[in-house]
Amino acid sequence: MADVPIDGQVLLLTAAKASVPPARLPALVERTQALLEADLERYRRTHERVYAGENCEAFLVAEGHWERLGDRLGVNDRARGAIRRAHEEQLRRIGRRTGREAEFESALEIREPVLVGVGTTERVDE
């Protein structure tokens, strides 16, 4: 099973905002994590890492990145948007907890976040 760096509360909030069934989003995020984990070394080499915690690493990527990932996953626009929003909300949560909220909010105006699970836990509860 992939290490999922998105808190359960974030998944519920995101599912409600994205009109995606709450029971479906965790499976989508887990599928996404499997793909992201396979590319972790590439993310480390080619993208700015803005956070490295015990259970996840967060990267900023160019706009359009989630569209390409959605195509690789074979998901529709609504599902892709929900997965992207889950990553955004989790980065905001990390920002609030680490005193970097303003920095992350500014970054999200021009870039997209990708959080990749690392370690042995299923969820990050920072």
Side-chain angles (χ1 to χ4, degrees):
M1 181 182 325
D3 291 323
V4 179
I6 311 296
D7 294 341
Q9 291 177 327
V10 170
L11 289 175
L12 288 173
L13 176 67
T14 302
K17 287 182 178 181
S19 300
V20 172
R24 184 168 177 239
L25 188 56
L28 287 170
V29 170
E30 189 172 317
R31 271 185 54 214
T32 303
Q33 281 305 303
L35 185 65
L36 296 174
E37 287 174 7
D39 289 341
L40 179 57
E41 289 306 317
R42 183 179 58 81
Y43 281 105
R44 287 174 173 160
R45 285 190 314 273
T46 61
H47 297 288
E48 179 185 3
R49 184 174 67 184
V50 294
Y51 175 79
E54 185 176 311
N55 299 318
C56 80
E57 295 183 29
F59 302 89
L60 294 175
V61 298
E63 289 187 31
H65 190 80
W66 280 107
E67 188 171 326
R68 290 185 298 279
L69 278 174
D71 290 345
R72 286 176 65 191
L73 288 165
V75 298
N76 64 28
D77 288 343
R78 184 176 291 182
R80 178 188 45 80
I83 297 165
R84 178 187 49 79
R85 274 193 286 279
H87 283 249
E88 287 175 358
E89 290 302 321
Q90 187 66 41
L91 184 64
R92 285 183 174 103
R93 178 174 271 205
I94 291 169
R96 285 190 297 275
R97 293 188 173 162
T98 61
R100 299 175 65 191
E101 185 174 12
E103 173 189 346
F104 290 168
E105 284 295 333
S106 293
L108 290 174
E109 291 178 13
I110 57 172
R111 295 169 67 200
E112 298 178 345
V114 170
L115 281 72
V116 183
V118 296
T120 59
T121 60
E122 187 174 330
R123 297 260 192 287
V124 172
D125 290 317
E126 298 185 359

